[in-house]
Amino acid sequence: MKAAADLFARLDDPTGPDAKIAALLGYFQTAPDGDKLWTVALLSGRTPKRIVTANQLRAWAIACAGLKDWLFEDSYRVVGDLSETIALVLPPPSRHENHSLTHWIKTIKRLSRMDEETRKSAILNIWDGMPAAERFWFIKLLTGGLRAGTSESLLIRALAQLTGQDEPAITYRLNGTWSPDTTTWHNLIEASDPQLALSHPYPFQPSQQVENIADLGNPAEWQATHAWGGARCQFILRGGSHALWSQDGALITDQVPELAPLRDFLPDGTVIEGALRAFAGDAPLGADAVHARITRKKITKAMRAETQLVLIANDLLEHDGSDLRQSTLDIRHKHLKNHLTSTPDQLPLRLSSAVEFASWSDLETQRQTARTAGADGLLLRHRDSPYLASKTMRWIWNAPPLTVDAVLIYAQAGPQSRANLFTEFTFAVWNGQTLTPFTRTSTGLTDADLAELSTWVRKNTQSKFGPVRQVTPTHVFEIAFDDIHASPRHKSGVALRFPRVLRWHKDKPVTEANTLDDLKDMRATYG
Amino acid sequence: MADVLTFTKRGIYCAAGDFYIDPSKPVERALVTHGHSDHARSGMTRYLATRSAKPVIQHRLGPNAVIDTIAFGETRQIGDATVSFHPAGHVPGSAQIRVSVKGEVWVASGDYKTVDDGLSEPFEPVPCHAFITECTFGLPIFNWTPKDILARQINDWWATNKAAGRFSVLGAYALGKAQRLLTTVNPDIGPILTHGAIEATNIVLRNQGITLPQTIPVTPELNVHDHPGALILATPGAMAQPWGAQFGPDVSTAFASGWMALRGQRRRRAMDRGFVVSDHADWAGLNTAIRETGATKVFATHGYTGSFRRWLAEQGYDAQIVATDDPADA
Ligand SMILES: [Zn+2]
Ligand SMILES: [Zn+2]
């Protein structure tokens, strides 16, 4: 297990993605197939069932190391992680048995069928053959706590490099309910799979932010639709089955079961590009509701009852099995419209309707009110442009952000590297005579602002809670954000998307800050 | 019987000989265990240290410091006290100080480690009635990596970086740790560059006959890119400063310290790697060392004193805490 433990440690080190991918490649080039398969399973969240609790292991370790309970507790307080403390306090191993990862996972499965006494002596015996670095990961395996979190996307990149396949192919292969007991390394990663090519998405057309709208030229040459904040995605229907890909490369077919019925109404060989929007009945929800759904592993009935996802179609990339990307937007849009008018209205598929305008100033008016429609702004595409052009033909014109004036009430010290600065700030609005916190950010503040504020915070601290300081309400900031929605988890009852500081109102008295009622009005209008 | 040593604001004091051990404030007569700055401070009228500890102490305190020397094992009468210095295994020249007054023997350990690093005079247990022990790593979570495994870890890291065309920047304290790393790594892998503070200590130690592999000091004139794939030994402070930037973005960083045993500390350091290497005793080392002195009275200082004292008391020792407010080197 040495090689696997080394790999997990390298993935756990605070290094950049390149070093982690290099570690993965090094491992995959040398490990046996069985271990590679299990490593892929573990790193994609397919951990074996937990067979002991961390507390049982803790008791066994204390007895084995001849420690006292209080001394273990003192140690745990210093270490901060139970599995790690257990791994560290155990006496040095008397031998080193370097078995494969697969061997240990099989052993763990066998242990699950033993009674507790036998299991205990077996585990103590295993520990005695492992150095602390391996024990730590072995304990994580035993307790079902081996999660590598963010490394799944790195895993996909590494496997793509290793096998010469592209990332969507690997993503597709790792998707679903397989386990190392039901497949092999070859079948999962290497074997040819006809469905693989069929599920493939096209590269997404890149977009750019509009800075000066007049630069786009003649308004008549451009088509405008609303730009939706939810996930941009491609719906692919080929060979009788469908796949849904998000722009960041995730396969989210199973996360959006609402779209499965589209198979029965759209012709085979259809690829639609669009954005997902979330609704609760007829009421639109924010982009965060979309995100919450598509990042879940399993979708329950309750989640589907709570939010329904709808695909807002923007573009048609494949029509009757032929690639449409070289056709102009007008042609693609015509075909898309035909599809949508021939499908029943109750399907969770809608056309992103065109925003009509005669001049740029006309469109500017529409941009100002885009947020009332639940959009982030406007999407502009050249009518004659192919899907992938040599220069940008897809522009996002953001609606002005929503803003409130808020009072700074808490400041939090930065990480060790910036320990002399306060780098996180909590802002509040008036709720009667009291200030209710509603957001925390530091985005938008310059280094000079941070330095000035930090000096001020130090002199105006009322009380301290750990790294957080409560300050005398003095400064008013204009806070901008893209979206606001109800959130029972927050004291204010609202949560913001992408809050940032727009400006520091040095001359504004705190009494002129906005109120919680103002925020609630915004939520009712834009949320 | 009166205590041989007492604990004062100025440091450990011996009334019978009117001297201090590793005092923290200026005094007449200071017996100094080793050259680390939390033990050998400036401002004392006279110092006494081992012969092999003197050069570094002189280097650090300046030419005006008056330093008498003593050989390991040699006894010297100071007032009514008999003192001798015994290897502590911490850094070259480091000593435990044995003080005997009317047959009552106390030993102040200074900093120590029980494993032989091949560089420092190896630790020797000194029988005594009372033992003043450091406990920087006085919790059972600290168990040092065996020497051969450590060497392999560091060499593998360096060789891999070199093969990928990267510098390997390794952070370590200038006295002791840096030289121990120098004698641990395989110098055949590539060139070894050193930060000025480390090189200065290297020169002092080489002059007293200690063999170290060849090193190239990083000076303003040196173009570091003439030494691709080099291992660079840096002080922890230098790594964080602009000094560290001259190696460009293509570096792998690592830190060598006992604290690197803890995953949280490794992550907080935000280095690519952490190597578990310490010049202090680990849990087993502390327990063995204390047992081998035969002392019944033990004073815990420098470290997890609360937990360690309680543990010793439960093992049957008359155990007490010595309060200090000095940060220890690790
Ligand atoms: Zn020291
Ligand atoms: Zn020290």
Side-chain angles (χ1 to χ4, degrees), chain A residues 33-100:
Chain A
D33 279 4
D35 280 16
K36 292 194 294 201
L37 182 61
W38 263 110
T39 300
V40 170
L42 295 173
L43 296 181
S44 60
R46 291 164 174 85
T47 43
K49 267 239 292 289
R50 185 176 81 175
I51 61 156
V52 284
T53 65
N55 274 330
Q56 279 174 306
L57 294 180
R58 173 186 187 278
W60 300 346
I62 290 174
C64 173
L67 301 180
K68 296 287 176 54
D69 226 46
W70 66 264
L71 186 55
F72 186 92
E73 269 317 296
D74 283 8
S75 300
Y76 177 33
R77 255 198 299 279
V78 170
V79 176
D81 178 284
L82 192 52
S83 303
E84 191 187 352
T85 314
I86 294 170
L88 290 173
V89 300
L90 287 167
S94 67
R95 53 184 209 287
H96 187 187
E97 283 183 26
N98 193 10
H99 290 298
S100 66

Side-chain angles (χ1 to χ4, degrees), chain B residues 294-311:
Chain B
T296 52
K297 202 184 200 57
V298 180
F299 296 90
T301 177
H302 268 69
Y304 295 104
T305 48
S307 305
F308 197 56
R309 187 214 64 82
R310 184 172 169 191
W311 167 257

